[in-house]
Amino acid sequence: MAEDVASPVCLGLLCGIPASGKSTIARQLQKDVVQVLPGRLAVLLLQYDTLFPAHLERQSIVQSAEQGSSLWKSTRSQIKACVDQLLGQLAEGELSASAPLSHCHNPQSLSQASQNQETISGMADNLLGLAKPSDVDSALWDRFVFSVDSSVKKTVVGEKSSLEVWPSWLVLIDDNMHYSSMRYEYCQLARKCKAGFCIMYVLCPLDEAMQRNRSRSEGRVEDHVILLMHVRLEVPDHRKHSWEKHSVTVDGTATVEVQVLVELVQRAMLDPQRPSPEEDEELKVISRCICSTNVIHQADQILRKCVSQQMAEAKGSGSSKEHLKALSLHLTKLRTDILTGMKKGEVTLPFQPEENSVSDASKDTANPLFIFVSSLFADSVTHS
């Protein structure tokens, strides 16, 4: 089409179970791309484990449970905001180095600094002059800029070039990306700035990944996590999702074929993302499915609280064990009936739920979903 113009930016995703070889492939691509396309493509590698280290991720999960908010989800959203900012500035060519490349820290010292959050802020030079989004945590932003700086030093400085003459950029996200909905969120970012978008699915036998993981000195993942992700992983499939057409399967146990990956990136750049009515409808379907799942989950949590409250009141009134047992069975059946009705569409909400409005509804008694479900349960108890 006449309006098709190659983009200077491509957003690439690595996809696969833990210990499948994603990080090894990413580092190899970053290292060898200067030989395949000398002076033409810079790879900015963003590793999720650096942006959101395991110990911080665990802390966020614990704090979320204690404070009744989803810090884990918030952090992942902030990471997307950082990537969005980077893609936008690269696509618009808004690069303004804040420090001469020759005076910046070397990649080795940056790598060592990643282990100590307190030193990252001082080590990051913000080589691309990125502007911090207002809703992003300062510590996370420091880790993000640090990651970008490290990549710039390994590719641009390694070529003894300058930012102004670098023609193309690959922003490569190293994460599991096991759900298509996760990948679609990043596809939207590429679409927003009309960048290329591609996926590198790293295939590795489960037993091999398990063995690799156990031999790790750090960053080891529990076996059940790998197994669960292996079961739940949604392999990229352009037949189901047209936006996944620029995808390739990489053997995580074989030698990396960098030329194949570079050609994938080039194809994606020649065919940048643009909004289309079909894909917009696909996004709506995905969003509705996610929202529906959240509504059922939150309704279940609300109903469990209602059952617990009823049981506590019965115990407080001195009810016998036999009565309490019978009451528990009765209330559990009411809870199950309500959930079944919601899943079948027999029970409909009197309002249109949004994903953000129901994500923590079970922790907010003023939330419309909490009010509706608890009232529905109370009516069921009264008329049963």
Side-chain angles (χ1 to χ4, degrees):
M1 294 185 295
E3 65 172 333
D4 285 340
V5 178
S7 172
V9 183
C10 180
L11 175 59
L13 303 181
L14 282 156
C15 167
I17 63 176
S20 58
K22 299 185 298 297
S23 297
T24 299
I25 291 172
R27 289 191 293 266
Q28 194 66 45
L29 174 59
Q30 187 180 52
K31 176 185 175 184
D32 292 352
V33 74
V34 294
Q35 278 122 26
V36 179
L37 291 176
R40 292 171 55 194
L41 178 66
V43 179
L44 302 182
L45 176 57
L46 301 174
Q47 295 178 300
Y48 186 80
D49 290 342
T50 299
L51 300 177
F52 199 10
H55 71 282
L56 293 180
E57 187 168 15
R58 286 193 296 270
Q59 289 176 15
S60 74
I61 294 174
V62 172
Q63 291 176 15
S64 295
E66 294 176 346
Q67 300 176 11
S69 61
S70 185
L71 296 177
W72 182 83
K73 285 185 179 180
S74 174
T75 300
R76 290 193 71 96
S77 295
Q78 290 181 54
I79 290 175
K80 288 200 293 285
C82 292
V83 174
D84 185 27
Q85 183 67 30
L86 173 61
L87 288 175
Q89 289 192 222
L90 290 175
E92 296 297 328
E94 298 175 353
L95 305 179
S96 55
S98 59
L101 296 182
S102 59
H103 291 87
C104 296
H105 301 93
N106 61 63
Q108 182 60 35
S109 61
L110 283 171
S111 177
Q112 294 170 345
S114 67
Q115 307 303 318
N116 187 348
Q117 173 59 38
E118 294 180 357
T119 66
I120 289 180
S121 180
M123 298 295 291
D125 297 295
N126 199 2
L127 297 177
L128 301 187
L130 300 176
K132 175 182 172 298
S134 59
D135 57 346
V136 172
D137 176 74
S138 295
L140 172 58
W141 178 249
D142 285 340
R143 292 193 296 275
F144 183 82
V145 174
F146 154 84
S147 295
V148 173
D149 281 357
S150 181
S151 290
V152 171
K153 295 296 293 183
K154 290 177 181 177
T155 52
V156 178
V157 178
E159 287 289 284
K160 297 181 173 58
S161 182
S162 64
L163 297 176
E164 289 73 16
V165 299
W166 214 259
S168 302
W169 303 85
L170 167 62
V171 177
L172 187 59
I173 311 293
D174 179 3
D175 192 11
N176 299 309
M177 297 288 173
H178 52 295
Y179 289 132
S180 61
S181 57
M182 292 177 171
R183 302 191 291 270
Y184 196 89
E185 290 176 352
Y186 280 94
C187 178
Q188 287 179 281
L189 299 186
R191 177 184 296 176
K192 181 178 177 181
C193 61
K194 297 181 180 179
F197 179 75
C198 65
I199 303 171
M200 304 170 191
Y201 167 52
V202 183
L203 179 62
C204 179
L206 178 60
D207 56 348
E208 174 69 17
M210 292 279 203
Q211 184 177 348
R212 288 179 180 178
N213 178 65
R214 291 172 188 143
S215 65
R216 285 176 168 176
S217 58
E218 58 183 26
R220 191 179 297 114
V221 180
E222 294 183 11
D223 284 356
H224 76 274
V225 174
I226 299 180
L227 179 60
L228 184 62
M229 200 167 293
H230 173 76
V231 172
R232 292 182 175 178
L233 189 143
E234 298 173 356
V235 177
D237 187 349
H238 69 277
R239 293 168 298 183
K240 292 182 179 179
H241 310 296
S242 59
W243 46 272
E244 292 190 316
K245 61 182 174 180
H246 296 301
S247 303
V248 67
T249 299
V250 184
D251 187 346
T253 64
T255 303
V256 181
E257 297 183 23
V258 173
Q259 181 66 45
V260 173
L261 301 182
V262 170
E263 290 174 357
L264 171 70
V265 173
Q266 289 178 314
R267 289 196 300 273
M269 285 180 163
L270 290 172
D271 183 27
Q273 290 291 312
R274 288 186 176 83
S276 68
E278 294 80 8
E279 291 179 353
D280 284 343
E281 182 57 33
E282 184 177 4
L283 173 60
K284 291 178 182 178
V285 171
I286 292 175
S287 296
R288 283 196 293 267
C289 289
I290 293 173
C291 187
S292 177
T293 301
N294 287 340
V295 167
I296 298 299
H297 173 69
Q298 290 299 318
D300 184 30
Q301 296 301 307
I302 294 168
L303 288 168
R304 289 177 184 274
K305 287 188 174 184
C306 292
V307 170
S308 296
Q309 183 178 353
Q310 288 277 340
M311 291 301 299
E313 291 176 357
K315 288 180 182 179
S317 64
S319 299
S320 65
K321 289 184 179 180
E322 291 75 13
H323 175 73
L324 290 175
K325 183 177 180 180
L327 179 62
S328 177
L329 292 173
H330 177 62
L331 295 178
T332 299
K333 184 181 184 303
L334 292 180
R335 165 181 155 269
T336 301
D337 290 344
I338 292 174
L339 284 176
T340 300
M342 294 183 71
K343 290 176 182 178
K344 291 183 176 180
E346 297 169 355
V347 176
T348 58
L349 300 180
F351 57 90
Q352 184 63 40
E354 298 293 337
E355 184 180 352
N356 292 335
S357 67
V358 300
S359 59
D360 292 310
S362 62
K363 301 180 179 69
D364 180 10
T365 56
N367 187 285
L369 182 62
F370 194 107
I371 295 173
F372 173 75
V373 173
S374 57
S375 297
L376 190 63
F377 180 79
D379 290 342
S380 298
V381 171
T382 301
H383 297 94
S384 62

